[in-house]
Amino acid sequence: MAVKRQSVVLGVLLAPVTLFLGVFFLLPLCIIALFSLLTPGLYGGVEWSFYHWNYGRIFGWADGINEIFEPIYLQILWRSLSFAALTVVLTLILCYPVAFWVSRLNDRWRLVFLFLITLPFFCSLIVRLYAWLLILKPTGLLNTILLWTGLISEPLEILYTPAAVVLGMVYVMIPFMFLPLYAAVDNLDRAQVEASMDLGANRIQTFLKVILPQTLPGILGGAVIVFIPSVGNFVVPDVLGGAKGLMIGNLVEQQFLSSRNWPFGSALSMIIMGVVLTVLMVSVTRARKVSGHA
Amino acid sequence: MSALLEIRDARRTFVTPEGGRLAALDGVSLDVSANEFVTLLGPSGCGKTTLLRAISGFETLDSGTMRLGGADLTGLPPFRRPVNTVFQSYALFGHMTVARNVGYALEVAGVAKAAREAEVAEALEKVGLAGLGARKPGQLSGGQRQRVALARAIIAKPQLLLLDEPLSALDRNLRQQMQLELKTLQHSLGIAFIFVTHDQEEALTMSDRIVVMRAGQIEQIGTPRDIYRHPKNRFVAEFIGETNLMPVTIDRVDGSEALARTAEGVELRLPASGRKPGEQVTAVLRPADFTLGASGIPATVSRAVYLGSDLYVFVQPKAGGPELRVIARDTAGVEAGATVHLSHDPARVHVLEAA
């Protein structure tokens, strides 16, 4: 009886979120998956007939009649993946030492710092990216300072380059990398670090054999949280990237809003999702294996 | 023969969060011989852990020297010292198997895998954990983890093993068993042990010598019997075991015995050597030094606690003064309210010079 009552209570408690996600996440996802296999309508929308050329266009089995294979889509996908990977690596390099530094601060300064890390969330992403635009443009803050100090004689062309996109994504993603990293570093058992040194391991050995494996769940967590939104990001390349900074997110946006080719946009979306799911699964299994949770 | 470890006038001061200064080590000098079991004993905050960490290299001294086997340890990082530690929290590497934990010192020293495995098996055997090498520390009980920490610390055959309250997390039975095993292990390994504890019973059971510390200074160094029977001052007397401290004035000296009296008039007999009439001293009597009998100090039993073969009795001398604690054979008639007489052997009374 008690068990039955418990499951009823659980059901009632879970119903709202299940309903919400079902209607606003699962259902649209199914629609996108379905659309990606339908024929594009002449003026947007879809024709209800099976059509696999959406994927063919991207991966190369286009027949040249219905659709033409263009390697640019794979190139953009590859660019998105490498930009996202680069963002992960750079945020990790920036945040890892800082996480150690913050975990050693006293309580008051630690709170101040953690507040500062979350401070960007109080301001709109678009506003913050436009600030970067003002900093990076040829007559912007960065170039003005560099010209004034005499380090350069011509303004640097940073804006609307891949570098600007990666810089922007690193900037946006730093808090997402920092917080899981910090949690892992703060949880690190200081006594184990001492035990390692006590047993004759020098600082490098101790880092590789004790500190790194112990903080790996945080590194992987941060990497996943940064990688996923980075792959599909379209706001940063939209504001800071030019034609060479175009990412797959921008492509999806274009297909839905400008080109009005919903099935093709859906196919691109499904590919992003596939990539992200693969990355997620690989890192979760990897983390399980390393941290020793059988 | 010179000592294995020589510590001379070690000093270390910490700045407290309130901005004050705390002398964790205030001029500590200590020699430890090879193959000796030395216990650092004292209340928390007495500096014993700081001293241990200074030996292992995790704490630097403000001044003073430390030599191990004749070599100066100053400035040597922990990983260059031939000293290993069993940590209070065990500090086992959670992401490694037991075998890899135990073999860690050999792994980082570059010992080949085959040689390592043989030594790991031997070390696990020594601490009674043979066959558990494939487990993760999280799958072991507290006592087993303690043994893994021990095996890991002895595998590199250090000249000196430091143990930082390693038994404090174990239950009483296991702790007593481990105390005996540690002592046996220390003998068979031939390694000097420095053992930190705040548990005086533990110190008495295991040590060759006990170092009693208070407020960054050494109060007394001696064998367990020495420390127990001949404490140098009130602090040591009260910290080690149950004690009756009785401030007395010497009445007269009579051959080998001196007669003394408390302010309330309770009479005690003490060894006469060096005593002068009128002198004020403190007599130290352990609870077992009193015998309940037909003659002696008349007193009333205020409480008797049953200990099995013995009774732990609180008695109030009829003359007045503080209650005395006595361990007596469990005999009939010793119960609250009964009148008893306390006698004692004058030779068993230890005298502290200060009143």
Side-chain angles (χ1 to χ4, degrees):
Chain A
M1 272 296 141
V3 174
K4 195 169 176 192
R5 221 191 112 207
Q6 252 183 10
S7 60
V8 168
V9 171
L10 200 64
V12 168
L13 287 174
L14 287 178
V17 71
T18 312
L19 204 68
F20 185 86
L21 286 180
V23 172
F24 295 105
F25 172 69
L26 212 56
L27 194 63
L29 187 67
C30 293
I31 293 173
I32 294 284
L34 181 68
F35 275 19
S36 75
L37 292 167
L38 294 179
T39 313
L42 213 49
Y43 307 103
V46 293
E47 310 250 342
W48 288 88
S49 59
F50 178 68
Y51 190 81
H52 59 82
W53 309 111
N54 294 319
Y55 290 99
R57 228 178 130 175
I58 302 164
F59 290 117
W61 65 77
D63 56 357
I65 303 163
N66 285 306
E67 296 288 351
I68 302 155
F69 167 63
E70 281 179 277
I72 184 73
Y73 301 121
L74 279 181
Q75 282 166 16
I76 291 174
L77 178 63
W78 173 247
R79 183 193 292 158
S80 306
L81 292 176
S82 43
F83 280 12
L86 198 58
T87 306
V88 167
V89 171
L90 290 176
T91 49
L92 179 61
I93 291 171
L94 287 173
C95 294
Y96 200 52
V98 180
F100 280 89
W101 178 70
V102 174
S103 75
R104 279 163 193 246
L105 292 176
N106 65 34
D107 286 353
R108 210 182 66 199
W109 284 110
R110 198 164 41 201
L111 276 179
V112 168
F113 193 90
L114 290 176
F115 173 71
L116 288 178
I117 273 283
T118 54
L119 201 57
F121 294 124
F122 289 78
C123 180
S124 153
L125 175 64
I126 299 292
V127 171
R128 285 184 284 138
L129 286 177
Y130 271 97
W132 274 104
L133 194 102
L134 295 179
I135 293 170
L136 296 179
K137 69 178 185 178
T139 55
L141 186 68
L142 183 68
N143 276 313
T144 310
I145 290 172
L146 288 176
L147 285 169
W148 182 74
T149 55
L151 284 169
I152 53 168
S153 53
E154 292 280 305
L156 293 176
E157 292 290 339
I158 306 172
L159 197 58
Y160 306 131
T161 64
V165 176
V166 174
L167 182 68
M169 291 216 294
V170 167
Y171 163 73
V172 172
M173 291 301 168
I174 275 181
F176 296 97
M177 178 56 90
F178 182 81
L179 293 173
L181 260 190
Y182 170 75
V185 167
D186 200 45
N187 257 331
L188 183 71
D189 183 3
R190 209 60 67 77
Q192 290 187 31
V193 176
E194 289 195 350
S196 168
M197 305 241 277
D198 184 76
L199 292 163
N202 61 34
R203 292 179 183 89
I204 295 168
Q205 286 173 317
T206 299
F207 177 76
L208 292 177
K209 287 171 187 284
V210 176
I211 297 174
L212 197 60
Q214 298 249 358
T215 51
L216 198 59
I219 294 174
L220 285 172
V224 167
I225 291 179
V226 169
F227 186 80
I228 292 173
S230 294
V231 172
N233 198 311
F234 65 93
V235 181
V236 176
D238 208 43
V239 177
L240 299 177
K244 283 183 183 162
L246 191 76
M247 288 173 65
I248 198 157
N250 304 93
L251 209 54
V252 174
E253 186 201 13
Q254 279 176 11
Q255 293 309 317
F256 276 98
L257 299 182
S258 328
S259 309
R260 301 192 60 78
N261 188 341
W262 291 4
F264 187 53
S266 303
L268 288 168
S269 305
M270 294 310 291
I271 289 164
I272 300 179
M273 212 181 73
V275 168
V276 163
L277 275 180
T278 312
V279 169
L280 194 67
M281 248 134 62
V282 168
S283 42
V284 165
T285 24
R286 182 101 190 87
R288 278 244 175 92
K289 220 165 86 185
V290 171
S291 61
H293 297 298
Chain B
M1 199 191 86
S2 72
L4 172 71
L5 178 72
E6 293 175 8
I7 301 170
R8 288 291 171 273
D9 200 29
R11 287 174 194 277
R12 177 76 166 112
T13 308
F14 291 110
V15 177
T16 59
E18 294 79 36
R21 294 172 73 78
L22 177 82
L25 295 176
D26 191 7
V28 169
S29 295
L30 173 68
D31 281 357
V32 177
S33 312
N35 204 8
E36 192 179 19
F37 197 126
V38 173
T39 299
L40 305 181
L41 176 67
S44 53
C46 72
K48 55 192 195 297
T49 297
T50 306
L51 183 58
L52 201 75
R53 289 175 62 82
I55 299 170
S56 56
F58 291 112
E59 217 47 89
T60 48
L61 295 177
D62 296 334
S63 68
T65 58
M66 238 174 226
R67 304 176 77 81
L68 185 70
D72 192 357
L73 290 178
T74 310
L76 225 52
F79 48 86
R80 297 244 174 79
R81 300 188 181 207
V83 170
N84 289 136
T85 308
V86 177
F87 290 85
Q88 182 170 14
S89 63
Y90 312 150
L92 299 180
F93 306 125
H95 59 291
M96 300 181 191
T97 61
V98 166
R100 199 165 160 224
N101 262 283
V102 173
Y104 190 79
L106 304 179
E107 181 185 328
V108 296
V111 175
K113 198 157 186 267
R116 215 158 69 205
E117 276 169 2
E119 295 227 26
V120 167
E122 194 190 330
L124 282 174
E125 178 87 52
K126 263 185 202 147
V127 297
L129 287 182
L132 294 187
R135 300 230 187 134
K136 286 277 174 79
Q139 298 167 298
L140 301 180
S141 70
Q144 288 172 324
R145 268 182 244 176
Q146 217 277 313
R147 287 156 193 267
V148 174
L150 192 60
R152 185 177 70 172
I154 60 173
I155 197 160
K157 302 188 174 59
Q159 296 177 33
L160 180 61
L161 187 71
L162 308 176
L163 302 102
D164 186 7
E165 308 209 20
L167 307 181
S168 57
L170 304 181
D171 65 54
R172 191 181 160 80
N173 280 337
L174 198 54
R175 197 161 70 224
Q176 286 175 340
Q177 186 193 339
M178 281 307 292
Q179 286 171 7
L180 297 174
E181 280 188 33
L182 270 179
K183 184 74 190 146
T184 317
L185 189 71
Q186 188 257 333
H187 261 290
S188 67
L189 289 172
I191 297 175
F193 278 28
I194 298 184
F195 187 98
V196 162
T197 184
H198 61 263
D199 182 336
Q200 41 94 11
E201 207 181 316
E202 208 163 86
L204 292 173
T205 319
M206 294 191 289
S207 322
D208 293 325
R209 279 193 306 157
I210 296 175
V211 178
V212 184
M213 292 184 70
R214 175 170 63 157
Q217 293 182 322
I218 293 179
E219 292 286 327
Q220 189 172 358
I221 305 179
T223 63
R225 177 167 284 113
D226 222 25
I227 299 264
Y228 189 77
R229 299 273 10 143
H230 306 292
K232 247 184 198 161
N233 53 38
R234 280 187 85 104
F235 173 77
V236 177
E238 284 182 316
F239 195 74
I240 311 281
E242 295 281 332
T243 316
N244 297 299
L245 290 174
M246 305 172 77
V248 292
T249 310
I250 306 292
D251 240 15
R252 59 191 156 82
V253 177
D254 196 4
S256 66
E257 280 177 21
L259 201 71
R261 217 181 276 279
T262 67
E264 293 82 16
V266 176
E267 275 190 11
L268 285 179
R269 289 171 302 141
L270 337 161
S273 62
R275 300 279 78 85
K276 296 184 293 288
E279 192 186 5
Q280 296 195 321
V281 296
T282 302
V284 179
L285 282 105
R286 299 294 178 180
D289 293 338
F290 284 112
T291 325
L292 298 187
S295 65
I297 307 161
T300 314
V301 175
S302 40
R303 207 146 48 92
V305 181
Y306 184 63
L307 296 180
S309 59
D310 291 329
L311 275 180
Y312 197 89
V313 195
F314 294 82
V315 298
Q316 176 62 59
K318 300 224 164 165
E323 265 190 348
L324 300 176
R325 288 172 280 188
V326 177
I327 288 183
R329 280 289 170 76
D330 178 19
T331 44
V334 180
E335 55 195 30
T339 294
V340 291
H341 290 84
L342 305 177
S343 57
H344 65 275
D345 175 2
R348 303 279 293 174
V349 181
H350 176 65
V351 178
L352 295 177
E353 299 289 339

